[in-house]
Amino acid sequence: IVSEATQATAKTGALGFAPTDVVDKATAGQIQINGEVIDIKEGQTFEDVYANIRDYCEMMNVDVVPVNAAGVECELAAATNLSFTSVIYGASQKLNITTDNANLAQKLGINGVQTTEGTDAKVTLDTTSGFKYGNSIYQWRTDGSVGPRRIPHVI
């Protein structure tokens, strides 16, 4: 194994709410995560907002958890950020998080979101030692949504 596959990750900037804070008219809006729209309505608590985000993300094979300043999962009340991680590994995994409301973006730390795309695993098999079909190195790459692909490299 040359390198293992990785998951896509995203960590928001600093959160600007307490779980019991209520969404006001100026903060209501929409969040888009990988193209899926989540409506955030006036009167919801931010605990409800987090629950909606978590539920939508679960349907998209994305885990989202509140984390503290050290990046350790914690209760929402102690969280400084939200951490998003794709369930599936590989280069096809990306996280795109946006909102249509600057106030909502500030409360959820979306303006400061840092994302890392997933990567494919890379495996190299040296067929010159112990294999009888020529002098080639084969590399398999998988990205979680596509099966193995063989890329021959002749020596």
Side-chain angles (χ1 to χ4, degrees), residues 122-139:
K122 293 183 182 152
V123 178
T124 302
L125 175 63
D126 180 355
T127 60
T128 61
S129 56
F131 292 91
K132 64 179 183 176
Y133 292 110
N135 295 332
S136 297
I137 295 176
Y138 294 90
Q139 185 178 56

Side-chain angles (χ1 to χ4, degrees), residues 3-4 19 23 25 32-33 39 41-42 45-46 54 67 70-71 76 83 85 90 98 109 113 122 125-127 138 148:
S3 62
E4 294 184 12
V23 176
K25 187 174 186 173
Q32 285 195 11
I33 302 174
D39 290 314
K41 299 176 181 159
E42 182 180 3
T45 66
F46 277 94
R54 184 194 62 225
V67 295
L76 188 59
S83 176
T85 305
T98 60
V113 73
K122 293 183 182 152
L125 175 63
D126 180 355
T127 60
Y138 294 90

Side-chain angles (χ1 to χ4, degrees), residues 41-54:
K41 299 176 181 159
E42 182 180 3
Q44 288 182 297
T45 66
F46 277 94
E47 190 168 33
D48 295 334
V49 170
Y50 168 71
N52 286 347
I53 292 169
R54 184 194 62 225

